[in-house]
Each structure stands twice: as structure tokens, then as C-alpha cells.
Amino acid sequence: MHTGCARAPDGNIVFTVAYDDDTTTRHMNPIYEKEDWYKGFDVVIHDECTADVNKDEQVATVLKPHKDGLPGIVLHCGMHCYRTADWNKKGGVTPWFEFTGLQTTGHGAQLPIALHFVDTASPITKGMEDWTTINEELYNNFNDGKLFTTLKGDHIVEEFQVILDEYVEKRYGRQPVEV
């Protein structure tokens, strides 16, 4: 499934769902057959499972609007889709993994996952309590430090702000406005 999202003139958010009932991982959603499939969207939500779509031209079609600046959100199996050359080698940064910011090659069995908040005083986690999910899939991820930054330590808010500032400067060519 692929979803586009745009704000309507009345201010409401409109979702366009490109549902595809083919559950195999070897084909692309038919929406990508249109050259301008992304026109009219403010953001694209990738929730497809196309792990065996691996031709560079196909991946370029999916990534084009994002390279041009259209934001994207990637959910579930979408994280390990579009497996081009070297996708399963440590440090094998594919165009899709570069876009997602994470090299993930698959997931384990569906099991409950216990979440434990270490720093409950942080403004980000304040008020949150430990909990256990329903059956979920824990993804297998490589981290060689090239694609993403791990937030750690006592200064998570400050570290996140630095990452956000760097993104805004790279994306918009300016420092973010203080709020």
C-alpha cells in the first residue's frame, strides 16, 4: 500500500490510498507507473512490501520526489524494500537505505517487545511508563554511523536539536527559526 497526503483548501488533511491487493514482494504498486505519481501530495507515506524490487530504475522512480524535496514517511516492511546491490552487506548503503536513514535487512518473529524508559526525567520521555507491545517484529539493523545518529546520554534534547538544525540547514539552506 502507498499513501499520499495533502492539505485540502479547507485545511483538512486528505489521504489518497493506492491499495494494491497483490501481496507478493516482486512488483511495484501500479501508482508508480504514472510519471508524476506524487503530484498534489504534501507528504508520501510508504507502507509497501517490495523487498524483491531491485532494479535501480524502479527505485529511482520511487525516490525522485523525495530527492526533489517531498517529505516521506516509511512504515513497517517499507523500511527494508527496494533491495538493490549490496543490500545485505554491512555498510551496503543502497539508495533506499540512504533515504530511510537505516540499513535494515528484515525482521525476526512476531513477539511482544518490552519497552523500558531509562531516562524518565527527559522532556521527551517524561510521564511515559514502561509497557509491552502486542506481537511486533523487531527489525535487524546495521549501524556503521554513516546513515543516522544515535541519540544517547544526558543531553538527548540538545542532541536532537543539533540534528534538526543540521537537517533544516541542509534542506532549506538556512538555520531554523527560534519559536
Side-chain angles (χ1 to χ4, degrees):
M1 179 172 57
H2 158 93
T3 306
C5 176
R7 186 171 296 275
D10 62 4
N12 289 320
I13 296 174
V14 177
F15 285 89
T16 303
V17 177
Y19 178 76
D20 183 5
D21 60 1
D22 185 331
T23 59
T24 67
T25 59
R26 291 179 172 80
H27 84 290
M28 290 177 57
N29 187 304
I31 194 171
Y32 296 125
E33 293 170 6
K34 285 180 52 182
E35 187 175 330
D36 63 349
W37 63 266
Y38 51 88
K39 292 287 188 204
F41 297 146
D42 294 320
V43 66
V44 173
I45 302 169
H46 292 279
D47 190 12
E48 57 253 49
C49 191
T50 52
D52 295 309
V53 173
N54 57 14
K55 291 184 175 68
D56 290 332
E57 319 79 63
Q58 294 171 308
V59 178
T61 297
V62 176
L63 289 176
K64 182 191 181 320
H66 305 301
K67 288 188 176 207
D68 292 344
L70 186 67
I73 298 170
V74 184
L75 303 174
H76 308 293
C77 187
M79 291 299 294
H80 41 256
C81 284
Y82 307 113
R83 296 172 173 173
T84 52
D86 296 332
W87 69 271
N88 60 346
K89 293 189 172 110
K90 188 164 185 148
V93 179
T94 69
W96 186 253
F97 293 156
E98 189 174 64
F99 166 64
T100 65
L102 183 65
Q103 182 183 1
T104 177
T105 58
H107 52 74
Q110 289 192 352
L111 299 168
I113 300 170
L115 300 172
H116 176 67
F117 294 94
V118 178
D119 182 2
T120 56
S122 166
I124 293 173
T125 58
K126 190 173 186 169
M128 293 184 175
E129 297 179 6
D130 294 353
W131 62 288
T132 301
T133 70
I134 59 171
N135 283 347
E136 294 288 350
E137 299 162 338
L138 195 56
Y139 283 25
N140 307 322
N141 306 320
F142 289 133
N143 177 13
D144 59 7
K146 293 180 184 172
L147 292 178
F148 65 91
T149 302
T150 302
L151 297 175
K152 57 188 177 286
D154 295 332
H155 304 286
I156 193 168
V157 173
E158 293 85 354
E159 290 179 33
F160 181 75
Q161 187 63 52
V162 168
I163 292 166
L164 181 62
D165 291 349
E166 288 173 358
Y167 168 78
V168 170
E169 186 170 8
K170 180 179 176 184
R171 171 75 174 85
Y172 299 103
R174 61 175 171 76
Q175 285 293 316
V177 177
E178 296 272 338
V179 192

